């Protein structure tokens, strides 16, 4: 165990076991990669055509342009645009998988139902659809048609999901910059085109195109996915459970869901409950479903399923020797998992046509065969339990209580116990009077370059100590859950006096008999749209542009292209967006300056890079204080 690996005690306890079991982990492979390529780290290498690869010498007397003449500025900007477009593509693909599901559910062609009719009507109303006199199914089909009409849009009309959900002041800013996206697929296609050899050579134009991809991500990815998932599976409300590897139970069949799209994991939760009897017959006390990464967040938020761990420790979950099956769908699944699973009895199961891993079992999942696939997977887990090797089992005894399920609707619900007529007022009043200094959204991943969870936890502790309300999603939420920042005790222990008073008052009014947690878990990475909705609602209430609000965002440990897209969207919303890991842009002073300063003049938001947690907290609070001052609020 090396000190830089993790602050998570369960991880620290398991790493020596991984080594003695002969398992290579992400940290071993990271070490083997040292030193990482300096050109790649700075973003100055290009492989966009077969004359390359080309690389720029950023410091010495080597080449200052690629073979075609592309400068460092162009290469860095092109690479960033491709990364952000790839992140957007992942979210848009996810969202439209769920649109497909809603269509087939409304036509009663698959065994999924519309769970949240209120949300359906709210989404339909936002799209200006006539809602009276229609059944849920009829309305759902119209909503689906609206979603598909964005993909079928070959004209100049901006994306509907954006136009019906984004703050009006922001839409005007984006329109003036010419970055309103039309059709998500077309925009992603255009980004690939724009960055091929012999295309755009203007770094400013390329950075604006990157901002446009942020909007594609925010509305045709995140917002669309959350809307569809809430309609199908329900809008989350508060749930209480536990987080960290200690939730695994040695005498249960442990089945982990890992990935992002809840279409399969919801079915697995359902069938695991139904097939408990079969687990008893196999000698277990039952079946425990738990989650990793964002599909874990999805079933946590709606079903109260416990969280096992976040991105960096996915291999270590298997190293416990207590995981009978791990089923994966899409995104953030380390290809190493099949090798790790091979060291234990664990059945690793892939399910999607675009995610196959040699060595894993493959149970094809389709909307039509969802129940059959889920049943088969649960039974595979039960069968695998009978082959468990007790000598290899070691479950670290670390778990923390968490309260999750804070959709915007749930937050408004809690606030309305304080002021039923005007629910947002108590929150706004406390921001105005300074009990709450501001709001920071912490989002995104773990990154092996950072001691796992350390930046999330240190940053957030400092923020809440200074009365900043924190909302979180993704692997950031996992990190904060594991650190005990998502329960009422966390408020007592870590929140500043002003914040504590507000959280206690709301908790009492809502009948919890305890304060709300100091960090509100708002869901998976696509659920960053919920944070967008909250910001949009606060801006509308105060009648100001969201760029003026004392609100900021932070991805302390980002690794995925999706995190870069989400961050870009946050910047387009006018938020200062902190990154705790330097993205590969430092090879171009011009691009780095545009992202961290130049964009502010035109879009309001900016990236803020700081790798030290306490300095980042100070920087974010300075930003919040400056915004408060501009609004005439005490700072
Ligand atoms: O979509 S936070 S490591 S799991 S990319 Fe992946 Fe990053 Fe985790 Fe969720 Ni989001
Ligand atoms: Fe080199 Fe230009 Fe080809 Fe990139 S596009 S590999 S810089 S020649």
């Amino acid at each position: 165990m090396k000190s830089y690996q993790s602050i998570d005690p369960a991880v620290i306890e398991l790493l020596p076991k991984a080594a003695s079991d002969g398992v290579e982990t992400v940290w071993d492979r990271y070490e083997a990669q040292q030193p990482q390529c300096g050109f790649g780290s700075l973003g100055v290498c290009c492989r966009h055509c077969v004359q390359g690869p080309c690389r720029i010498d950023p410091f010495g007397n080597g080449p200052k342009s690629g073979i075609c003449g592309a400068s460092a500025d162009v290469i860095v900007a092109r690479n960033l645009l491709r990364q952000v477009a790839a992140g957007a593509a992942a979210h848009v693909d996810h969202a439209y998988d769920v649109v497909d599901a809603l269509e087939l559910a409304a036509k009663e062609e698959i065994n999924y139902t519309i769970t949240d009719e209120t949300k359906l009507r709210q989404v339909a109303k936002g799209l200006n659809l006539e809602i009276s006199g229609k059944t849920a199914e009829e309305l759902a089909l119209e909503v689906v048609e609206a979603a598909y009409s964005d993909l079928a849009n070959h004209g100049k009309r901006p994306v509907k999901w954006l136009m019906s959900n984004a703050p009006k002041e922001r839409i005007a800013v984006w329109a003036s910059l010419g970055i309103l996206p039309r059709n998500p697929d077309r925009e992603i296609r255009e980004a690939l085109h724009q960055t091929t050899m012999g295309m755009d050579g203007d770094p400013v134009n390329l950075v604006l195109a990157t901002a446009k991809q942020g909007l594609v991500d925010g509305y045709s990815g995140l917002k669309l996915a959350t809307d569809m998932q809430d309609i199908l599976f329900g809008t989350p409300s508060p749930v209480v459970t536990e987080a960290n590897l200690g939730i695994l139970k040695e005498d249960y069949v442990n089945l982990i869901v890992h990935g992002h799209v809840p279409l399969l994991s919801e079915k697995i939760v359902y069938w695991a409950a139904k097939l408990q009897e079969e687990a008893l017959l196999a000698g277990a006390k039952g079946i425990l479903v738990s989650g990793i990464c964002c599909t874990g967040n999805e079933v946590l938020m709606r079903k109260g399923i416990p969280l096992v761990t976040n991105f960096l420790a996915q291999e270590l979950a298997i190293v416990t020797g207590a995981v009978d099956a791990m089923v994966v769908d899409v995104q953030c699944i380390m290809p190493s998992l099949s090798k790790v699973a091979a060291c234990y009895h664990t059945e690793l199961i892939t399910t999607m046509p675009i995610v196959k891993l040699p060595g894993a079992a493959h149970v094809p999942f389709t909307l039509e065969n969802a129940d059959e696939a889920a049943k088969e997977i649960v039974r595979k887990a039960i069968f695998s339990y009978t082959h468990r090797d007790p000598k290899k089992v070691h479950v670290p005894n670390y778990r923390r209580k968490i309260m999750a399920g804070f959709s915007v609707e749930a937050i408004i619900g809690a606030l309305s116990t304080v002021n039923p007529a005007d629910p947002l007022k108590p929150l706004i009043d406390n921001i105005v009077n300074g009990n709450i200094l501001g709001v920071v959204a912490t989002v995104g991943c773990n990154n092996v370059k950072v001691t796992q969870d350390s930046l999330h936890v240190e940053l957030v502790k400092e923020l809440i100590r200074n009365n900043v309300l924190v909302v979180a999603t993704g692997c950031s939420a996992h990190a904060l859950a594991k650190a005990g920042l998502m329960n009422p005790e966390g408020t007592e222990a870590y929140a500043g006096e002003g914040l504590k008073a507000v959280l206690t008052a709301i908790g009492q009014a809502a009948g919890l008999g305890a304060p709300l947690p100091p960090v509100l878990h708002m869901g998976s990475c696509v659920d960053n749209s919920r944070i967008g909705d909250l910001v949009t609602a606060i801006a509308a209430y105060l009648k100001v542009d969201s760029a003026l609000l004392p609100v900021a965002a932070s991805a302390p440990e980002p690794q995925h292209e999706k995190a870069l897209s989400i961050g870009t969207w946050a910047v387009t919303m006018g938020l200062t967006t902190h990154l705790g890991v330097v993205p590969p842009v430092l090879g171009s002073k011009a691009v780095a300056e545009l992202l961290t300063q130049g964009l502010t003049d035109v879009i309001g938001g900016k990236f803020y890079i700081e790798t030290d947690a306490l300095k980042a907290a100070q920087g974010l609070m300075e930003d919040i204080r400056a915004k408060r001052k501009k609004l005439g609020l005490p700072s």
Side-chain angles (χ1 to χ4, degrees):
M1 170 64 203
K2 299 171 192 68
S3 58
Y4 64 78
Q5 288 165 320
S6 183
I7 61 164
D8 177 345
V11 168
I12 293 168
E13 189 169 313
L14 276 176
L15 278 168
K17 179 173 191 300
S20 68
D21 288 358
V23 172
E24 183 189 81
T25 67
V26 63
W27 288 279
D28 301 317
R29 294 188 298 273
Y30 174 60
E31 211 165 272
Q33 284 290 340
Q34 299 312 310
Q36 285 175 288
C37 171
F39 296 97
S41 303
L42 294 172
V44 290
C45 63
C46 179
R47 295 187 299 113
H48 291 197
C49 89
V50 192
Q51 300 177 97
C54 299
R55 56 191 200 184
I56 307 297
D57 179 353
F59 307 117
N61 294 324
K64 294 292 170 220
S65 55
I67 292 164
C68 66
S71 64
D73 297 341
V74 172
I75 292 175
V76 166
R78 275 198 312 218
N79 287 342
L80 181 68
L81 174 50
R82 279 209 173 178
Q83 285 195 294
V84 172
H91 284 142
V92 172
D93 212 29
H94 169 162
Y96 277 93
D97 272 353
V98 198
V99 176
D100 283 354
L102 182 60
E103 179 182 19
L104 297 177
K107 290 179 175 166
E108 296 181 6
E109 289 177 12
I110 54 173
N111 190 23
Y112 288 83
T113 47
I114 294 166
T115 301
D116 192 340
E117 219 179 300
T118 311
K119 183 83 177 212
L120 169 65
R121 293 190 185 275
Q122 181 204 323
V123 170
K125 222 167 127 195
L127 290 162
N128 282 329
L129 298 173
E130 178 55 55
I131 54 175
S132 61
K134 287 178 188 152
T135 66
E137 286 72 22
E138 285 165 348
L139 206 52
L141 286 176
E142 288 187 28
V143 166
V144 164
E145 203 187 305
Y148 285 142
S149 79
D150 276 342
L151 286 188
N153 176 24
H154 301 298
K156 291 201 165 60
R157 172 178 70 69
V159 160
K160 265 188 194 160
W161 239 262
L162 181 152
M163 296 305 281
S164 52
N165 290 297
K168 299 292 165 265
E169 296 81 358
R170 288 281 101 193
I171 293 176
V173 171
W174 303 330
S176 73
L177 293 171
I179 59 168
L180 278 177
R182 300 150 296 181
N183 159 342
D185 281 6
R186 179 173 176 187
E187 300 299 356
I188 292 164
R189 182 215 307 163
E190 195 174 89
L192 288 177
H193 182 191
Q194 192 172 352
T195 51
T196 55
M197 189 271 144
M199 288 292 292
D200 207 342
D202 177 354
V204 176
N205 205 38
L206 285 160
V207 168
L208 283 174
T210 306
K212 189 200 269 190
Q213 291 298 319
L215 295 175
V216 170
D217 190 57
Y219 294 98
S220 295
L222 315 180
K223 178 66 179 152
L224 180 60
T226 301
D227 283 348
M228 297 295 107
Q229 289 169 181
D230 280 356
I231 292 169
L232 273 175
F233 302 120
T235 301
S237 54
V239 288
V240 176
T241 180
E242 290 179 318
N244 213 344
L245 287 149
I247 60 99
L248 295 171
K249 290 187 180 165
E250 293 190 18
D251 39 10
Y252 276 64
V253 174
N254 287 303
L255 170 52
I256 291 182
V257 293
H258 176 15
H260 282 77
V261 187
L263 291 167
L264 171 63
S265 48
E266 281 273 338
K267 286 289 184 191
I268 286 181
V269 170
Y270 175 84
W271 280 106
K274 285 265 172 213
L275 298 177
Q276 292 286 337
E277 198 67 28
E278 293 185 22
L280 299 183
L281 289 174
K285 286 194 175 149
I287 305 170
L288 181 77
V289 179
S290 53
I292 291 183
C293 285
C294 281
T295 214
N297 282 326
E298 297 285 356
V299 287
L300 161 74
M301 293 284 285
R302 297 193 180 84
K303 297 286 185 299
I305 295 297
L307 290 178
V308 187
T309 193
N310 48 358
F311 173 73
L312 267 187
Q314 56 186 278
E315 297 167 308
L316 293 180
I318 298 177
V319 171
T320 62
V323 176
D324 302 299
M326 182 184 282
V327 57
V328 302
D329 52 45
V330 292
Q331 300 169 13
C332 299
I333 296 143
M334 289 189 197
S336 62
L337 287 180
S338 50
K339 242 175 134 182
V340 181
C343 294
Y344 302 90
H345 75 296
T346 308
E347 182 88 284
L348 178 70
I349 305 165
T350 56
T351 54
M352 302 300 285
I354 55 170
V355 184
K356 294 194 177 178
L357 297 173
H362 188 74
V363 175
F365 167 80
T366 62
L367 291 168
E368 290 79 6
N369 83 344
D371 290 280
E372 288 314 311
K375 259 191 275 184
E376 188 182 338
I377 288 163
V378 173
R379 289 194 169 122
K380 272 186 185 296
I382 296 171
F383 182 72
S384 170
Y385 171 84
T386 64
H387 291 82
R388 205 192 273 180
D389 178 357
K391 291 196 295 298
K392 281 197 165 175
V393 174
H394 176 75
V395 177
N397 190 19
Y398 294 101
R399 56 184 172 275
R400 301 304 276 267
K401 188 173 105 185
I402 60 170
M403 184 181 278
F406 291 98
S407 57
V408 175
E409 291 83 342
I411 293 173
I412 303 255
L415 289 170
S416 65
T417 59
V418 181
N419 187 338
D422 193 359
L424 271 182
K425 192 168 185 296
L427 176 63
I428 307 279
D429 284 352
N430 280 295
I431 294 176
V432 169
N433 70 21
N435 276 339
I436 296 177
L437 185 68
V439 182
V440 170
T442 68
V443 309
C445 323
N446 290 141
N447 181 322
V448 70
K449 292 176 177 171
V450 176
T451 302
Q452 184 193 14
D453 297 346
S454 64
L455 287 187
H456 293 290
V457 173
E458 282 175 42
L459 173 85
V460 168
K461 279 188 179 165
E462 184 64 9
L463 290 173
I464 60 182
R465 196 173 71 78
N466 286 283
N467 301 309
V468 174
L469 177 66
V470 174
V471 296
T473 58
C475 287
S476 184
H478 285 255
L480 301 170
K482 289 189 288 174
L485 293 167
M486 287 192 173
N487 56 42
E489 295 74 27
T491 306
E492 300 290 357
Y494 302 110
E497 289 311 316
L499 179 63
K500 195 185 292 180
V502 178
L503 295 171
T504 304
I506 299 170
Q508 297 297 354
L512 295 177
L516 285 181
V519 179
L520 302 181
H521 192 330
M522 293 191 77
S524 64
C525 287
V526 296
D527 290 338
N528 283 311
S529 66
R530 300 191 197 280
I531 299 173
D533 288 349
L534 189 62
V535 170
T536 303
I538 296 174
Y541 189 96
L542 291 172
K543 300 193 180 63
V544 297
D545 182 2
S546 57
L548 299 175
L549 294 175
V551 175
S554 169
E557 304 174 19
Q559 60 87 9
H560 204 282
E561 288 166 322
K562 293 178 288 172
L564 296 179
S565 312
I566 293 167
T568 305
W569 172 56
V571 170
T572 66
M573 289 293 282
L575 306 186
T576 293
T577 303
H578 164 244
L579 301 177
V581 178
V582 187
V585 298
L586 293 188
S588 163
K589 198 162 173 263
V591 172
E593 273 180 10
L594 266 176
L595 296 171
T596 55
Q597 295 165 30
L599 271 180
T600 318
D601 296 336
V602 292
I603 222 162
K606 59 171 188 274
F607 281 106
Y608 161 50
I609 317 284
E610 174 54 67
T611 56
D612 180 279
L614 293 183
K615 282 190 194 149
Q618 293 309 327
L620 289 170
M621 288 189 290
E622 265 167 39
D623 187 79
I624 284 174
R625 288 201 179 95
K627 289 192 170 173
R628 291 185 66 93
K629 204 167 165 200
K630 269 199 182 154
L631 287 172
L633 305 179
S635 54

